[in-house]
């Protein structure tokens, strides 16, 4: 099914916007140049920092690309719970010889300023995580010539995305690495998400807008399955995290296939919001006690994560990864797009061949 979204790329492959310095311009450019849709992550960037990355990316490719924003979060964190968690992390600060961050330092992430930049300097696509923008915001971006995507983790959230006027919905399964894009952070629903293929099928029966499937996808055959379930394209994050163009820390890249890390878990330990990463010591020791407080916990643990990365200590880092992390391939991003597309074609050919096999007893 052709749409304004699918007209932007040659292959139904979207590189997920991975915040924290992973989705750098070089990665987005390589994906877009190969016929996919590259993305920048502006969630933790200032408005000027985002603008500079957009400018740099435009110098690397003339192909379409996207920018991702985090929705501002309501102030609901319990200061006392944050203080208790900070006390628990005092030992970590001493171990890594650093100070804990100020939990109140970054609640205003410059969302309005970033929108102003994107309206003055439109890009092909803008996506949103952690909620649905207002209809006015979506309409303004549409008038500027920008397509809008919003993440949803349930069919109900996808319907809200459609009603708000977004051009497409990113359907995120429970397998996805990094932060779950739930619209409301409810601790009672932690870990209760739906698997990607089932969720895509549910959403396809609920909305009429295009669907981008996200969550644990590492191979072209998985993309083909998502397309068969009703998606128009697939978004891959962990698959691109291991590429040389990715800005991920080398320790993070190596951990994806390190036999020491055999599974992933959803945790609030690093940010105060559910996010999937490789299960390590920090998760085990602190995850059960981390309060629902985003972005307060994110800013509180930021110096710890940076110190652990500087020390090369994977046990203290936020090793965001989807459930398919062991299938990561250390390949240039452009080559990975080409291989994924070939795998999609092979999977479709195999499926067609299966459909053509006559049933037992049928006329030949």
């Amino acid at each position: 099914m052709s749409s304004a979204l699918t007209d932007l790329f040659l292959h139904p492959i979207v590189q997920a916007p991975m915040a924290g310095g992973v989705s750098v311009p070089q990665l987005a450019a390589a994906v877009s140049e190969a016929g996919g849709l590259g993305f920048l992550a502006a969630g933790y960037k200032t408005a000027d920092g985002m603008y500079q990355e957009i400018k740099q990316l435009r110098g690397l490719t003339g192909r379409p690309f996207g920018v991702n924003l985090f929705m501002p979060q309501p102030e609901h964190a319990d200061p006392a719970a944050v203080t208790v968690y900070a006390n628990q992390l005092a030992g970590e600060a001493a171990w890594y010889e650093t100070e804990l961050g100020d939990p109140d330092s970054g609640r205003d992430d410059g969302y309005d300023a970033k929108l102003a930049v994107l309206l003055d300097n439109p890009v092909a696509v803008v996506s949103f995580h952690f909620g649905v923008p207002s209809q006015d915001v979506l309409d303004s971006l549409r008038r500027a010539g920008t397509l809008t995507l919003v993440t949803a983790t349930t069919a109900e959230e996808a319907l809200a995305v459609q009603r708000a006027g977004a051009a497409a919905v990113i359907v995120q399964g429970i397998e996805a690495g990094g932060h779950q894009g739930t619209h409301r952070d409810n601790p009672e629903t932690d870990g209760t998400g739906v698997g990607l293929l089932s969720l895509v099928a549910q959403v396809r029966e609920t909305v009429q807008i295009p669907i981008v499937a996200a969550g644990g996808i590492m191979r072209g055959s998985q993309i083909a399955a998502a397309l068969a379930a009703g998606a128009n394209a697939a978004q891959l994050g962990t698959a691109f995290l291991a590429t040389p163009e990715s800005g991920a820390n080398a320790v993070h890249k190596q951990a994806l296939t390190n036999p020491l890390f055999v599974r992933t878990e959803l945790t609030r330990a690093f940010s105060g919001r559910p996010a999937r990463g490789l299960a390590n010591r920090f998760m085990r020791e602190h995850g059960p006690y981390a309060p629902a407080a985003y972005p307060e916990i994110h800013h509180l643990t930021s110096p710890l994560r940076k110190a652990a990365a500087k020390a090369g200590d994977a046990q203290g880092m936020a090793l965001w990864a989807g459930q398919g992390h062991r299938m990561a391939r250390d390949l240039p991003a452009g080559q990975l797009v080409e291989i994924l597309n070939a795998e999609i074609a092979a999977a479709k050919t195999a499926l067609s061949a299966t459909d053509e096999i006559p049933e037992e007893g049928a006329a030949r």
Side-chain angles (χ1 to χ4, degrees), residues 93-268:
W95 175 257
Y96 289 114
E97 299 181 339
T98 187
E99 299 290 332
L100 294 175
D102 178 359
D104 298 318
S105 63
R107 172 155 289 282
D108 180 9
D109 73 341
Y111 174 76
D112 291 335
K114 293 174 193 176
L115 283 175
V117 170
L118 291 168
L119 289 172
D120 288 340
N121 303 270
V123 297
V125 183
V126 171
S127 67
F128 297 86
H129 211 58
F130 297 150
V132 186
S134 68
Q135 185 173 345
D136 287 345
V137 166
L138 296 174
D139 287 346
S140 295
L141 288 166
R142 177 180 50 78
R143 288 192 295 269
T146 297
L147 293 178
T148 51
L149 284 67
V150 181
T151 301
T153 61
T154 66
E156 292 77 15
E157 288 181 351
L159 187 58
V161 171
Q162 177 175 275
R163 287 172 173 165
V169 58
I170 300 168
V171 174
Q172 186 189 45
I174 192 67
E175 307 95 331
H179 284 95
Q180 294 286 298
T182 51
H183 294 182
R184 294 177 182 81
D185 186 10
N186 181 3
E188 295 181 2
T189 62
D190 284 3
T192 62
V194 178
L196 179 61
L197 291 183
S198 294
L199 185 57
V200 168
Q202 292 176 22
V203 173
R204 184 73 287 163
E205 295 178 357
T206 305
V207 304
Q208 288 74 50
I209 58 177
I211 293 172
V212 177
I217 298 177
M218 303 293 289
R219 295 288 186 267
S221 58
Q222 295 171 294
I223 297 175
L227 298 177
N232 301 85
Q235 179 172 279
L236 292 74
T238 306
F240 286 106
L241 194 151
T243 64
E245 295 90 345
S246 157
N249 184 283
V251 174
H252 192 170
K253 293 182 180 183
Q254 294 161 5
L256 295 175
T257 53
N258 187 333
L260 184 64
F261 300 101
V262 297
R263 61 189 174 85
T264 63
E265 289 182 2
L266 285 172
T267 185
R268 293 178 181 271

